[in-house]
Amino acid sequence: MTCKELVELVTDYMEGALDADASARFEEHVTACPECLVHLGQMRLTVRAVGRLRGEDISPDARDHLLASFRNWRREG
Amino acid sequence: MSGEAPLPVGLDANEERLVAELRAGSEEAFAALVGRYHASMVRVATAIVGNRAVAEEVAQDAWVGALRGIERFEGRSSLRTWLFRILTNRALSRQERERRSVPFSSLASDELDAEEAALDPERFLPADHARWPNTWAVAPESWAGAGEERALAAESHRVIAEAIDALPAAQRTVITMRDVEGYDAQDVCNALEVSETNQRVLLHRARSKVRRALEDYLQEDDAGDGSPG
Ligand SMILES: [Zn+2]
């Protein structure tokens, strides 16, 4: 497995989608190749950083609008 | 009832109670659910339709659909997954109408048909290099320590959000569902009608581009010429 091949397999590796043989070769490579290990770490960190975008709250307007829809629905029965 | 952490996937006692209260017409239960899931639904819809105002409408409409369907909700999936399905169905049909009948699946296959490397080929030595074919020519710099902190800090949110917005629709949708909102691969495959392999290809391309944007952002500031943006 070359470095160029490895970078294309990082997501498959992280998703557990590589077969046992490919997964072992992937791990063997990153153990021996500091650059690819750094790259794998950056991809993992990217996933964590993207996860930080969560957590915005609902706007008061949207909330009011939804509660009005709810009251309509309840009236309709 | 506001400000609770998102529920783990699976119908727990709390969710079961909310569903029962909702069926009984409790506005408080509805407000709690809306507070918990609406912002997330809008983000997913925005990724699909590519427009925040349209996405807000789609999400509002999905809630009305959910209320009308709550009697039929059987709890075989979590409420969150059930809402996600209602939302994605509506967002995808809305997207198809807005895009003059280009279905999302054909956007996805166009993206999948295009060859695309995770990194600029210049980052690697050529395949015919005498000693180190296809190894790093320009190695990635470690983000350990300060880089990691800055990648995770609030200031990087704009960089990440812009990088996601700039992605083609299918990649933007998959990374939003998976990495921003934390839905399972299986939920995403079902919603978008893509295979697991294709879902991973789209996710890989999306993550690779966001990684590059973060790399540029971290390097920009390393250069430290002090000029404001
Ligand atoms: Zn390597």
Side-chain angles (χ1 to χ4, degrees):
Chain A
M1 189 180 292
T2 66
C3 301
K4 197 173 180 177
E5 286 164 351
L6 183 136
V7 301
E8 298 300 348
L9 294 174
V10 169
T11 301
D12 287 350
Y13 175 72
M14 287 167 65
E15 296 276 293
L18 293 180
D19 62 37
D21 183 52
S23 186
R25 279 186 292 133
F26 185 101
E27 282 168 3
E28 209 172 287
H29 185 116
V30 291
T31 308
C33 178
E35 290 89 356
C36 283
L37 185 61
V38 166
H39 180 78
L40 174 62
Q42 290 185 354
M43 288 291 275
R44 286 190 165 132
L45 188 60
T46 298
V47 175
R48 279 174 64 206
V50 169
R52 299 276 170 109
L53 295 189
R54 217 172 319 169
E56 184 189 330
D57 283 336
I58 184 171
S59 73
D61 275 2
R63 192 171 185 279
D64 290 349
H65 200 274
L66 282 166
L67 292 179
S69 302
F70 177 80
R71 286 172 205 136
N72 273 336
W73 167 74
R74 203 167 46 184
R75 257 199 310 276
E76 287 165 15
Chain B
M1 289 201 105
S2 61
E4 289 167 36
L7 287 169
V9 175
L11 198 63
D12 62 15
N14 188 10
E15 225 175 34
E16 221 169 295
R17 180 178 54 79
L18 283 172
V19 170
E21 287 175 3
L22 194 56
R23 283 176 177 156
S26 158
E27 183 169 321
E28 208 183 321
F30 183 68
L33 286 171
V34 156
R36 192 177 286 168
Y37 297 127
H38 184 71
S40 161
M41 287 162 66
V42 172
R43 276 192 297 272
V44 168
T46 304
I48 294 173
V49 301
N51 175 306
R52 177 74 189 232
V54 173
E56 181 67 47
E57 269 175 45
V58 168
Q60 296 263 351
D61 183 45
W63 281 108
V64 173
L67 287 172
R68 295 202 174 120
I70 193 68
E71 281 304 330
R72 292 188 306 275
F73 174 68
E74 290 171 346
R76 269 186 283 172
S77 63
S78 70
L79 192 61
R80 179 174 185 260
T81 298
W82 184 71
L83 287 168
F84 177 75
R85 282 190 200 136
I86 295 172
L87 176 86
T88 51
N89 281 337
R90 277 158 206 254
L92 289 166
S93 48
R94 182 64 181 261
Q95 180 272 342
E96 197 169 329
R97 259 189 292 147
E98 303 262 319
R99 297 277 295 226
R100 297 175 204 288
S101 299
V102 179
F104 192 86
S105 56
S106 89
L107 295 180
S109 46
D110 287 353
E111 286 177 40
L112 289 160
D113 286 346
E115 284 287 321
E116 196 178 303
L119 284 156
D120 185 344
E122 303 281 301
R123 300 282 304 252
F124 299 97
L125 295 172
D128 59 1
H129 191 274
R131 290 193 63 185
W132 300 294
N134 294 324
T135 60
W136 293 94
V138 184
E141 281 177 36
S142 172
W143 295 352
E148 174 166 345
E149 262 171 48
R150 293 193 37 238
L152 295 173
E155 290 73 38
S156 74
H157 288 185
R158 184 186 48 81
V159 175
I160 297 167
E162 282 173 6
I164 292 175
D165 286 349
L167 293 169
Q171 292 170 44
R172 179 179 71 214
T173 299
V174 171
I175 198 171
T176 300
M177 290 174 166
R178 290 293 315 279
D179 292 345
V180 181
E181 300 304 334
Y183 289 96
D184 291 347
Q186 203 50 61
D187 287 341
V188 174
C189 291
N190 291 342
L192 300 178
E193 294 177 357
V194 293
S195 68
E196 285 183 38
T197 303
N198 286 342
Q199 187 262 161
R200 275 197 308 276
V201 172
L202 293 167
L203 183 61
H204 182 64
R205 291 179 179 184
R207 285 176 177 174
S208 296
K209 284 176 200 149
V210 175
R211 192 208 62 84
R212 289 209 295 270
L214 273 172
E215 184 175 51
D216 289 346
Y217 168 69
L218 295 174
Q219 272 167 5
E220 212 175 87
D221 277 33
D222 274 355
D225 64 334
S227 61

